[in-house]
Amino acid sequence: MSVSIELAPLDRAAMATVREHLDRLTKPPGSLGRLEALIVQLAGITGSNAPRVEQPAIAVFAADHGVTAQGVSAYPSAVTAQMVANFVAGGAAINVLARAAGAKLVVVDVGVVGPELAVSSRVRAGTRDMTVEPAMTRDEALRAIGIGRDVVGGLVADGCDAIALGEMGIGNTTAASALVALLTGRPPAEVTGRGTGLDDEAVRRKVVVIEAALRLHQPGRGDPLGTLAAVGGLEIAALVGAMLAGGESRIPIILDGFITGAAALVAVGIAPTLAPRLIASHRSAEPGHRVVLEQLGLEPLLDLDLRLGEGSGAALALPLLRAGTLLLAEMATFESAGVSGPPLEGG
Amino acid sequence: MSVSIELAPLDRAAMATVREHLDRLTKPPGSLGRLEALIVQLAGITGSNAPRVEQPAIAVFAADHGVTAQGVSAYPSAVTAQMVANFVAGGAAINVLARAAGAKLVVVDVGVVGPELAVSSRVRAGTRDMTVEPAMTRDEALRAIGIGRDVVGGLVADGCDAIALGEMGIGNTTAASALVALLTGRPPAEVTGRGTGLDDEAVRRKVVVIEAALRLHQPGRGDPLGTLAAVGGLEIAALVGAMLAGGESRIPIILDGFITGAAALVAVGIAPTLAPRLIASHRSAEPGHRVVLEQLGLEPLLDLDLRLGEGSGAALALPLLRAGTLLLAEMATFESAGVSGPPLEGG
């Protein structure tokens, strides 16, 4: 069984209208740099000449990974559940950043091991060890995708007009590196990094683990769902679903770092016209993230060497999106303000 | 007469305390990347273990430039006054961005030509043409510095805990390029750009104008005030004063782009220990800005190809500062949240 989704292309008319309006605002044409491209993209995504980011939400999906049995993380697997408890208590970085950005935060347990504390839609308690067997069945992956879809669908029904995505899952940089290696054909060593803080020797062991998993699983290059099931994670699958729902709802989808980027590669495999609806918030310190961004054709807004996950980079980028929409909505035009207009071409 | 100011060094004790606390927060050590360095810098600047950015202000200084007689700008000089009117009416980019950042905006006319519309502290109606005579007398430059100092002093007295700086002045990229060339010894062609939108031919003419001014004025390398008076601007002088006041008041000083950067070179010439109290908000599209940042030893937070001025980049960076202070203040520690701590070194 294969899944393929056709999304509407960006709204070229809205983009042209907004591009033209930007040049009437009281600033030298193009002087807001990449913020202008972002504003035009928001118009294309939403199909509106006046896109808004008034009710952003951050959805964080959490799950555990069987591959942690192979010693691929600096932290024990139990930290996933502990951090979910921290999210629920409001003490994690993403709680602070969501409050700072005025964004609603939803934490969804799609596969944590341990007590169920957050919004629970647990498909199973952690994936299987990808070095021994597929991490998920195709059905489990599809169920996790459905959960991500439902979460974002519900948020949109409540008025959410921009979705920022994050994750928590000890071991999930291993899953993401395996996914990126399979989906791009790059060698694991090139797309594997320190995760939460491995030293050089531990990174080499992590690469060996990923190589072992890749020898075991050889899904076709045209089978993103099979790849996801083989070496992905439940939270990564939920992220894929969240992106598909964001694409269908025509709201901007703000990626975080490496894990959400790996999920985006899967999502674009399923819905090839999704990519222009994605916004890369930041360039992560994980080396594989560069490969992901290149593959997706995305240029991140921030470059702050973040490597926390949780949606932290996406949350930090929200004020830039909001600022862009407000500039478009509230700035005076040369005409309305009585300011002498831009010079003639070449003047 | 020479001016030299000794500022307190950063508070090393506060920096050490905050650095240590950051490693106790529920995140892998260092995973907030450059945001962690920023938080530590804010502690050092303010001398507080809990630095706050609760009442940021944006001060925009406006003035005209006699050198516009040489045709160095894409816009007529009258646009300075028109844009000040736009600031007062609330329709410019910086008005929108100040509102978005929750920052107080103060617009100060230190030397605009035309009717006085903003807070007026006009030293004179525009500088003289630097290709004919010094742009300002030393006394005029000192008076403009005093105005910038008083503005920031007043804001701090009212509770301002972070100052973002901006400017408006048709012709002021010419003044800034001349200043940067004199203060760094770089050839004008290397530090001169398109400003508000010159084409290649017009940039070449702008370089010739700056070269003519530099042949006329040869202030000593150790005379930042003389350099400022010869080729600077009244708003640039006010920015210098604003930075000195921010340094003395121990609040973070957020630079905008190329013009505020040129002012910072002058300010650091006067107060050599000012540099670590400066925060570079963004890397401007103006080529001279790279030289300025290198000279100041600053790495900008944003890289969005902005070239608007007005303090727009500084305003866009404010949410990052605020997010940093909130993370420090509000995140749970590993101990308080019951999360298994960071791995042992090399683990």
Side-chain angles (χ1 to χ4, degrees):
Chain A
M1 183 212 57
S2 101
V3 186
S4 179
I5 291 174
E6 183 71 37
L7 296 171
L10 296 196
D11 186 325
R12 299 282 154 195
M15 292 171 83
T17 301
V18 162
R19 205 178 279 118
E20 211 173 275
H21 186 70
L22 281 172
D23 283 348
R24 283 198 294 267
L25 300 178
T26 49
K27 60 173 184 55
S31 60
L32 286 170
R34 294 190 44 220
L35 218 45
E36 298 199 19
L38 176 66
I39 297 166
V40 170
Q41 186 189 1
L42 292 175
I45 291 169
T46 58
S48 166
N49 298 341
R52 290 291 182 155
V53 179
E54 295 294 333
Q55 291 191 59
I58 303 169
V60 177
F61 298 95
D64 273 301
H65 292 263
V67 73
T68 51
Q70 305 299 324
V72 289
S73 176
Y75 287 78
S77 201
V79 166
T80 304
Q82 291 168 353
M83 282 303 297
V84 169
N86 196 18
F87 296 152
V88 171
I94 193 60
N95 297 99
V96 179
L97 295 175
R99 289 194 291 268
K104 178 174 179 169
L105 175 64
V106 183
V107 180
V108 184
D109 174 350
V110 264
V112 177
V113 174
E116 309 199 12
L117 298 167
V119 174
S120 183
S121 299
R122 202 176 279 183
V123 174
R124 51 176 282 122
T127 52
R128 299 173 190 84
D129 181 349
M130 68 168 93
T131 65
V132 179
E133 57 191 320
M136 297 171 275
T137 64
R138 290 173 85 96
D139 179 61
E140 285 164 350
L142 277 172
R143 276 163 59 207
I145 288 174
I147 289 162
R149 247 176 137 132
D150 290 348
V151 166
V152 169
L155 287 167
V156 169
D158 286 348
C160 163
D161 52 18
I163 183 73
L165 296 172
E167 42 54 51
M168 177 71 217
I170 296 298
N172 68 7
T173 58
T174 299
S177 292
L179 270 177
V180 172
L182 277 176
L183 292 169
T184 67
R186 301 288 182 98
E190 199 184 317
V191 295
T192 302
R194 299 183 188 284
T196 48
L198 297 178
D199 63 17
D200 289 348
E201 175 53 28
V203 172
R204 278 190 291 273
R205 286 198 303 267
K206 184 174 168 183
V207 170
V208 169
V209 167
I210 293 169
E211 286 168 345
L214 299 204
R215 275 194 302 274
L216 189 64
H217 311 289
Q218 292 296 338
R221 278 294 284 277
D223 181 15
L225 181 64
T227 308
L228 174 66
V231 301
L234 292 157
E235 81 282 45
I236 295 175
L239 286 167
V240 170
M243 290 174 202
L244 296 175
E248 287 163 330
S249 306
R250 304 192 180 196
I251 60 171
I253 302 156
I254 303 111
L255 303 181
D256 190 28
F258 182 49
I259 316 295
T260 58
L265 283 185
V266 177
V268 166
I270 293 170
T273 51
L274 177 68
R277 297 183 172 275
L278 303 174
I279 293 165
S281 61
H282 79 107
R283 188 187 307 281
S284 153
E286 273 293 302
H289 196 214
R290 278 151 215 280
V291 172
V292 169
L293 291 170
E294 200 183 289
Q295 190 87 4
L296 293 169
L298 300 177
E299 184 72 30
L301 292 167
L302 300 170
D303 192 353
L304 297 172
D305 280 332
L306 305 174
R307 52 181 176 78
L308 174 57
E310 298 181 7
S312 52
L316 285 166
L318 280 175
L320 293 175
L321 271 74
R322 200 169 141 69
T325 60
L326 294 174
L327 287 164
L328 181 68
E330 298 181 10
M331 272 183 77
T333 62
F334 282 102
E335 198 180 16
S336 73
V339 175
S340 305
L344 297 174
E345 281 305 317
Chain B
M1 183 213 56
S2 100
V3 186
S4 179
I5 290 173
E6 185 70 38
L7 295 171
L10 296 196
D11 187 325
R12 299 283 153 193
M15 292 170 82
T17 301
V18 163
R19 202 177 282 120
E20 211 172 275
H21 187 68
L22 281 171
D23 283 348
R24 282 198 294 266
L25 300 178
T26 47
K27 58 173 187 54
S31 60
L32 286 169
R34 295 190 45 221
L35 218 45
E36 298 200 22
L38 176 66
I39 297 166
V40 171
Q41 185 189 2
L42 293 175
I45 290 169
T46 58
S48 166
N49 298 343
R52 288 291 183 156
V53 178
E54 295 293 334
Q55 291 191 56
I58 303 169
V60 177
F61 298 96
D64 273 303
H65 291 262
V67 73
T68 51
Q70 305 300 323
V72 289
S73 176
Y75 287 79
S77 200
V79 166
T80 305
Q82 291 167 353
M83 282 302 297
V84 169
N86 196 19
F87 295 151
V88 171
I94 192 60
N95 297 99
V96 179
L97 296 175
R99 288 194 292 268
K104 178 173 179 171
L105 176 64
V106 184
V107 180
V108 184
D109 174 351
V110 265
V112 177
V113 174
E116 308 198 12
L117 299 169
V119 173
S120 182
S121 299
R122 202 175 278 183
V123 174
R124 49 175 285 124
T127 51
R128 298 171 190 86
D129 182 349
M130 70 167 93
T131 65
V132 178
E133 59 191 319
M136 296 172 275
T137 64
R138 291 173 85 92
D139 180 60
E140 285 164 351
L142 277 172
R143 277 162 58 205
I145 288 175
I147 289 159
R149 247 176 137 132
D150 289 349
V151 166
V152 170
L155 288 167
V156 170
D158 286 348
C160 163
D161 53 17
I163 184 72
L165 296 172
E167 42 55 49
M168 177 69 218
I170 296 298
N172 68 8
T173 59
T174 300
S177 292
L179 269 176
V180 172
L182 278 175
L183 291 169
T184 66
R186 301 289 181 96
E190 198 184 318
V191 295
T192 302
R194 298 184 189 282
T196 48
L198 297 178
D199 62 18
D200 289 347
E201 175 53 29
V203 172
R204 279 192 288 274
R205 287 197 303 269
K206 184 174 169 183
V207 170
V208 169
V209 167
I210 293 169
E211 287 169 343
L214 299 203
R215 276 195 299 276
L216 189 64
H217 310 289
Q218 291 296 337
R221 281 291 287 273
D223 181 14
L225 181 62
T227 307
L228 174 66
V231 303
L234 291 156
E235 82 282 41
I236 296 175
L239 286 167
V240 171
M243 289 173 203
L244 296 175
E248 289 165 329
S249 305
R250 303 190 179 198
I251 59 171
I253 302 156
I254 303 110
L255 303 181
D256 190 29
F258 182 49
I259 317 293
T260 58
L265 283 184
V266 177
V268 166
I270 293 170
T273 51
L274 178 68
R277 296 182 173 276
L278 303 174
I279 292 164
S281 61
H282 78 109
R283 189 187 305 282
S284 154
E286 273 292 302
H289 196 215
R290 277 150 217 279
V291 172
V292 168
L293 291 170
E294 199 183 290
Q295 189 87 5
L296 292 170
L298 300 177
E299 186 69 32
L301 292 167
L302 301 170
D303 193 353
L304 297 172
D305 280 332
L306 306 174
R307 52 182 176 80
L308 174 58
E310 299 181 6
S312 52
L316 285 167
L318 279 175
L320 293 175
L321 271 75
R322 201 168 140 69
T325 61
L326 295 174
L327 287 164
L328 181 67
E330 298 180 10
M331 272 183 77
T333 61
F334 282 102
E335 198 182 16
S336 74
V339 175
S340 304
L344 295 174
E345 282 303 317

